[in-house]
Amino acid sequence: MLRPIVNPAPRRRRIALVLGAVGVTALLAAALPKLTAAGEAVVQAAASPATIDIDNFAFAPATLTVAAGTTVTWKNEDDSPHRIGDKNGTFKSAALDTDDTFSHTFAAPGEYPYICTIHPYMAGKIIVKPAGKMSSN
C-alpha cells in the first residue's frame, strides 16, 4: 500500500508558533514582578499628592520630602498674591491670588529650593527621594 506524501512544513510552522508563544509568555512572566513594583510606586505617588499651604507670608511645611513622581500643589490661603519659582528655573507659577493653586510633578530625585518671587524672603524646599525609598518625614 502506498502512503500519500504529506508536506511537513505546516506542522513545523505550528510547532514554531507554539514554542514562540511559550517563550514570549516566559519572558513576560519573568518581567512582570518588576513591572508591577514600578507600577505600584507610580500609583502610590499619584494616590498621595502633597500640598503646601501659603499663609501669613510663609510656606507650610517649609521643607517637604516626597517620592519621585509626586505632584506637589501649592495653595495660596493668604490675602496677598504669591508666585512660586525654584532657584534653578525648573518651575514657576503665575501670580496666585487667594485660593489659587499651582502644581508641579517632581520626576527626578534631588533637592529643589524655591521662593516666592514676589516676596523673596519666603523660602521653601522640596526634597525628592527615589520612588520606593521613602521613609517617614
Side-chain angles (χ1 to χ4, degrees):
M1 169 170 188
L2 293 174
R3 290 187 171 168
I5 299 175
V6 177
N7 184 356
R11 184 168 186 243
R12 286 185 190 147
R13 201 171 315 136
R14 281 193 301 268
I15 291 172
L17 287 172
V18 169
L19 290 176
V22 168
V24 168
T25 302
L27 287 173
L28 287 173
L32 189 59
K34 293 177 187 169
L35 293 174
T36 301
E40 286 175 3
V42 170
V43 169
Q44 287 172 356
S48 58
T51 302
I52 297 173
D53 292 324
I54 305 167
D55 195 16
N56 199 24
F57 292 87
F59 298 112
T63 300
L64 179 66
T65 302
V66 298
T70 299
T71 298
V72 175
T73 301
W74 287 262
K75 182 176 183 187
N76 186 5
E77 296 181 356
D78 218 338
D79 292 333
S80 296
H82 296 285
R83 190 176 320 149
I84 310 304
D86 79 318
K87 294 180 179 181
N88 299 321
T90 307
F91 60 92
K92 64 181 177 178
S93 73
L96 304 176
D97 287 327
T98 304
D99 293 328
D100 284 350
T101 62
F102 167 72
S103 297
H104 180 76
T105 300
F106 292 87
E111 292 191 7
Y112 300 86
Y114 64 91
I115 61 172
C116 170
T117 59
I118 298 172
H119 311 100
Y121 57 87
M122 293 175 58
K125 181 173 19 176
I126 306 296
I127 300 170
V128 181
K129 301 284 186 182
K133 299 201 178 196
M134 286 292 299
S135 59
S136 62
N137 291 347

